[in-house]
Amino acid sequence: DAGVIQSPRHEVTEMGQEVTLRCKPISGHNSLFWYRQTMMRGLELLIYFNNNVPIDDSGMPEDRFSAKMPNASFSTLKIQPSEPRDSAVYFCASSPTSAGELFFGEGSRLTVL
Amino acid sequence: AQSVAQPEDQVNVAEGNPLTVKCTYSVSGNPYLFWYVQYPNRGLQFLLKYITGDNLVKGSYGFEAEFNKSQTSFHLKKPSALVSDSALYFCAVRRDTDKLIFGTGTRLQVFP
């Protein structure tokens, strides 16, 4: 199994630009999670989906952030417009059940200048 | 609301000695508890979990954790530490099918 696949692994962009992060969960997993990791705030849950439906997006920091899961094998996290304080590592994780352990991707390191 | 605390930012231990990384939790109802490890520039890797049953849970790489309901703790342990165990360790808790909440992490440093 290829595991959770995230792209890009690294992104450097300028303030105001749109950023799209992508995630392919493990086949057969029906829950998908987006986390953000920073030194200051640690690991924060942004949003999670069950069976492609957003269940809890209370962690999404602002309207500039949006996430979609159009099908069981793909999800995107979009930031528009991006700001320097959005610089972080963004992790996608999937789980075979809503109560099981999470399997994490390698993360997307975002730097906003 | 559920929460988890890792009281130590860093734990230092000599290779070959036993190690403990502490975790306490707060959740209404029965907790689901997890430990993850993160190596530099990598994603988190699952180590072990407690759902129900035996309070002592064995996981990957020789790690184990003990669920203590009265103390609301789930400390991670290993009888003999390796230098390669040096990493960032996260405890996490969820209530039933609710979202998984992570602690702030504990950096484990094993010295040769």
Side-chain angles (χ1 to χ4, degrees), chain B residues 12-35:
Chain B
N12 299 317
V13 64
E15 188 174 32
N17 283 2
L19 69 87
T20 299
V21 183
K22 296 179 181 177
C23 171
T24 59
Y25 66 91
S26 174
V27 65
S28 58
N30 295 322
Y32 293 3
L33 296 156
F34 302 79
W35 276 101

Side-chain angles (χ1 to χ4, degrees), chain A residues 1 3 24-29 72 94:
Chain A
D1 198 326
K24 176 178 169 53
I26 294 173
S27 177
H29 285 194
S94 68

Side-chain angles (χ1 to χ4, degrees), chain A residues 9 33 35 37 43 45 48 56 58 91 95 98-102 104-106 109, chain B residues 32 34 36 38 41-44 46 49 51 88 90 94 96-100 102:
Chain A
R9 288 296 312 276
F33 305 76
Y35 284 86
Q37 186 178 33
L43 268 169
L45 177 63
Y48 76 97
D56 186 343
S58 59
F91 287 103
S95 178
S98 54
E101 63 266 29
L102 274 59
F104 281 78
E106 294 294 284
R109 182 177 295 276
Chain B
Y32 293 3
F34 302 79
Y36 286 80
Q38 185 180 30
N41 300 312
R42 303 294 301 277
L44 280 71
F46 169 74
K49 66 180 177 184
I51 303 296
L88 189 56
F90 289 94
R94 78 194 315 170
D96 196 18
T97 59
D98 207 344
K99 55 192 175 185
L100 189 63
F102 284 88

Side-chain angles (χ1 to χ4, degrees), chain A residues 31-106:
Chain A
S31 296
L32 183 140
F33 305 76
W34 282 101
Y35 284 86
R36 178 172 69 176
Q37 186 178 33
T38 60
M39 289 291 290
M40 292 296 293
R41 301 173 69 92
L43 268 169
E44 303 172 275
L45 177 63
L46 301 178
I47 185 171
Y48 76 97
F49 297 82
N50 274 350
N51 296 316
N52 313 339
V53 176
I55 302 301
D56 186 343
D57 65 354
S58 59
M60 296 286 261
E62 300 172 32
D63 291 345
R64 299 184 295 106
F65 285 69
S66 62
K68 294 182 179 179
M69 192 166 186
N71 57 61
S73 58
F74 184 65
S75 177
T76 59
L77 178 66
K78 186 173 293 187
I79 308 172
Q80 167 62 19
S82 59
E83 297 182 3
R85 60 193 167 123
D86 301 332
S87 298
V89 181
Y90 291 81
F91 287 103
C92 176
S94 68
S95 178
T97 69
S98 54
E101 63 266 29
L102 274 59
F103 294 78
F104 281 78
E106 294 294 284

